[in-house]
Amino acid sequence: VGGRFRIDGLLSQDGVSQTYRATDVTHRSAASVRVIPMRVLGASAAQLETDVENASALVHKNLVEVLTVGREHDFFFLATELLDGQTLREFIDGKKSEGRTVSFRGACNLVTHIANGLERAASTMPHGGLNPATVWVNKAGRVKVADLGLARTLPTLARRGVPAGGPEHAYLAPEVLAGGQPTLASDAYALGVILFEVLTGKL
């Protein structure tokens, strides 16, 4: 893909894309490549490319590093660093399966890391789709926010990350649910819902 990434295997898929483990043959390192069919994007393909390119210019320890973006044949691709660890959704569910919740100190640490990443992005764009599926906790305990720049053209990505049986719009602010554009305030709303869930184990 893009003359640079060799696809090694499927990592995950959602309603609009597939994400693959890949090898960056230029730098001989592991990467993650998300593939989005052009038919899904339609006329919004150019907007997505602009948003993701803007996101790629943001470098911060709490943001997933974007390596490159591009188009090839009939799909758009987004290459990022390959993350180890688990999503925040998996982390919360793991605690719940053990009959536990995250400690207050742990919850504050998680939310602080997420907020630091969002603050770095704030001057460029709101996230717009923050939920536990877009937050990663790696094996070293570092928290990183993913999918920056995607929600404006792929709003279905904001309707993920809910616990089993939960409403898919749980992390969406009321004004976004009503059709409004995401803002920094709607990111704060999503972060508040996440904090409550991390502390209590429920929405």
Side-chain angles (χ1 to χ4, degrees), residues 4-133:
R4 177 176 168 182
F5 301 97
R6 185 186 70 237
I7 300 299
D8 297 325
L10 183 68
L11 285 174
S12 63
Q13 59 184 31
D14 50 48
V16 294
S17 65
Q18 296 81 41
T19 301
Y20 297 91
R21 181 187 177 92
T23 300
D24 182 341
V25 296
T26 302
H27 297 94
R28 298 183 180 179
S29 58
S32 172
V33 176
R34 182 180 227 144
V35 173
I36 307 168
M38 285 297 180
R39 58 178 170 73
V40 171
L41 297 172
S44 62
Q47 182 65 63
L48 179 66
E49 198 161 6
T50 298
D51 287 349
V52 175
E53 283 178 350
N54 288 339
S56 70
L58 298 168
V59 178
H60 190 274
K61 64 182 181 179
N62 296 123
L63 294 175
V64 172
E65 181 185 1
V66 177
L67 304 176
T68 189
V69 297
R71 302 188 195 194
E72 189 162 302
H73 305 302
D74 57 351
F75 62 84
F76 172 91
F77 71 89
L78 164 65
T80 67
E81 63 177 305
L82 182 68
L83 297 168
D84 62 6
Q86 59 190 332
T87 65
L88 183 56
R89 175 77 275 141
E90 293 166 332
F91 180 77
I92 295 170
D93 289 348
K95 292 285 187 184
K96 191 180 294 186
S97 70
E98 298 168 359
R100 300 189 297 147
T101 57
V102 181
S103 69
F104 180 75
R105 184 173 182 176
C108 288
N109 184 53
L110 274 168
V111 169
T112 298
H113 283 218
I114 297 169
N116 286 342
L118 294 177
E119 184 177 40
R120 175 66 184 90
S123 61
T124 302
M125 68 181 75
H127 187 287
L130 185 69
N131 65 68

Side-chain angles (χ1 to χ4, degrees), residues 16 34 36 41 44 47-49 51-52 55 76 78 125-131 134 146-160 171-172 176 179-183 186-187:
V16 294
R34 182 180 227 144
I36 307 168
L41 297 172
S44 62
Q47 182 65 63
L48 179 66
E49 198 161 6
D51 287 349
V52 175
F76 172 91
L78 164 65
M125 68 181 75
H127 187 287
L130 185 69
N131 65 68
T134 63
D147 294 358
L148 189 65
L150 297 181
R152 177 153 58 159
T153 49
L154 296 168
T156 56
L157 293 180
R159 295 173 176 267
R160 298 181 302 150
Y171 307 98
L172 288 174
V176 177
Q181 285 295 313
T183 64
S186 56
D187 282 351

Side-chain angles (χ1 to χ4, degrees), residues 131-155:
N131 65 68
T134 63
V135 177
W136 281 81
V137 183
N138 73 14
K139 291 178 180 177
R142 172 67 57 80
V143 179
K144 292 199 172 196
V145 177
D147 294 358
L148 189 65
L150 297 181
R152 177 153 58 159
T153 49
L154 296 168

